Amino acid sequence: MTVRVRVCHLYPDQLNIYADRGNIAVFRSRAERRGYALDVIGVGAGESLAPDSDLIYLGGGQDREQALIAPDLARRGDEISAALADGAALLAVCGGYQLLGRGYRDRAGVEMPGAGVLPLDTIAGDRRMIGDVSIECELEPGDTHSVVGFENHGGRTHLDPDAVPLGRVVHGFGNDGGSGFEGCRLGRAIGTYLHGPLLPRNPWLADWLLSQALGRRLGEAPDLEPLDDELEHEAHAVALGRARVRGGKFR
Ligand code: GLN
């Protein structure tokens, strides 16, 4: 029997800037090439979280889209934390990442409530932080990887002192342009500012998340069989080269 990974895609109609939906296509392709199936359940405002989810996904969105779903997402904090405690993995990008924290104050001074799942707050600054980013990530001790992407955010995200960032900024701004941190990691949950979409050029991160999701389904995270990632590595190298030249300028 084919093992099926269940993905709960929150607010697919509102949070899908810069083709962030492409991350789901990467999960699907990398799962199917290993003989697993991926079921994606889109969940909008007012609908209940997909039960028995192995992976929860939220893309990015501008302030306007975020304001549409923020009150709904804020009510889901306990539900999402319960899914994480039950072993689900999570990926949230930019607008989704911000609203998984305690809240986001936008450029106009509007306070949006957050889900309070991640230990962080976000406040918009005057200038947007736009450009290519590279970070160094160590999700498993001693196993460091370069992760690349594109950031475009006005929000400055401040992690609580005991929070764990996703990685250290090598080129670009990251969470706030000053701390040297990018993203946040809480167990199997990852929040990040990196678009691209993120996963096509970071297959290692895609497989880490997929393996965590499969871990919930199977009882243990499997070692995924390697794929031919020549193109993906080339895409990573191109993005890394751009980050060296174009990362970290205010626009
Ligand atoms: N509206 C948020 C900001 O500008 C998030 C933008 C995004 O998702 N790209 O900070």
Side-chain angles (χ1 to χ4, degrees):
M1 262 247 300
T2 307
V3 173
R4 311 189 76 86
V5 181
R6 268 169 77 85
V7 180
C8 175
H9 186 178
L10 274 168
Y11 316 114
D13 296 336
Q14 288 84 17
L15 299 184
N16 181 36
I17 206 168
Y18 300 129
D20 282 337
R21 197 187 291 266
N23 290 324
I24 300 266
V26 171
F27 283 131
R28 185 184 302 288
S29 154
R30 299 188 76 81
E32 287 177 355
R33 282 186 282 162
R34 268 78 169 237
Y36 302 109
L38 200 84
D39 295 324
V40 181
I41 300 112
V43 170
E47 295 171 1
S48 42
L49 208 67
D52 194 24
S53 292
D54 302 307
L55 178 65
I56 298 173
Y57 177 69
L58 292 99
Q62 294 297 352
D63 295 5
R64 206 177 61 87
E65 286 80 34
Q66 286 178 286
L68 295 175
I69 55 90
D72 187 84
L73 179 56
R75 284 192 291 271
R76 293 182 190 274
D78 289 348
E79 212 182 357
I80 295 175
S81 295
L84 297 181
D86 184 45
L90 178 148
L91 175 64
V93 180
C94 201
Y97 165 46
Q98 294 172 339
L99 290 179
L100 278 188
R102 284 181 293 258
Y104 170 48
R105 185 161 85 218
D106 76 7
R107 265 304 289 282
V110 176
E111 301 271 0
M112 296 181 210
V117 171
L118 296 178
L120 51 92
D121 296 291
T122 304
I123 298 176
D126 292 339
R127 294 190 289 176
R128 296 191 70 76
M129 303 196 274
I130 307 178
D132 295 276
V133 190
S134 78
I135 64 172
E136 283 211 327
C137 263
E138 190 182 310
L139 295 182
E140 310 293 347
D143 188 28
T144 305
H145 290 261
S146 155
V147 170
V148 291
F150 181 80
E151 64 184 331
N152 181 354
H153 51 110
R156 274 74 170 154
T157 293
H158 304 288
L159 302 183
D160 286 359
D162 56 349
V164 180
L166 170 62
R168 291 207 157 267
V169 175
V170 181
H171 303 283
F173 292 103
N175 279 341
D176 58 2
S179 63
F181 294 143
E182 205 294 312
C184 181
R185 183 217 177 164
L186 184 73
R188 298 181 192 87
I190 285 179
T192 176
Y193 272 113
L194 303 192
H195 302 277
L198 170 70
L199 297 180
R201 60 192 67 174
N202 296 292
W204 157 80
L205 186 57
D207 278 357
W208 186 85
L209 283 159
L210 192 56
S211 154
Q212 301 303 310
L214 276 159
R216 180 187 176 277
R217 183 64 40 193
L218 302 172
E220 199 183 341
D223 278 334
L224 294 171
E225 142 212 345
L227 299 174
D228 173 8
D229 283 330
E230 204 185 315
L231 267 180
E232 286 79 355
H233 291 150
E234 217 175 293
H236 179 281
V238 169
L240 185 59
R242 278 205 306 252
R244 284 197 184 110
V245 183
R246 300 203 324 214
K249 293 178 187 63
F250 284 110
R251 317 250 170 103

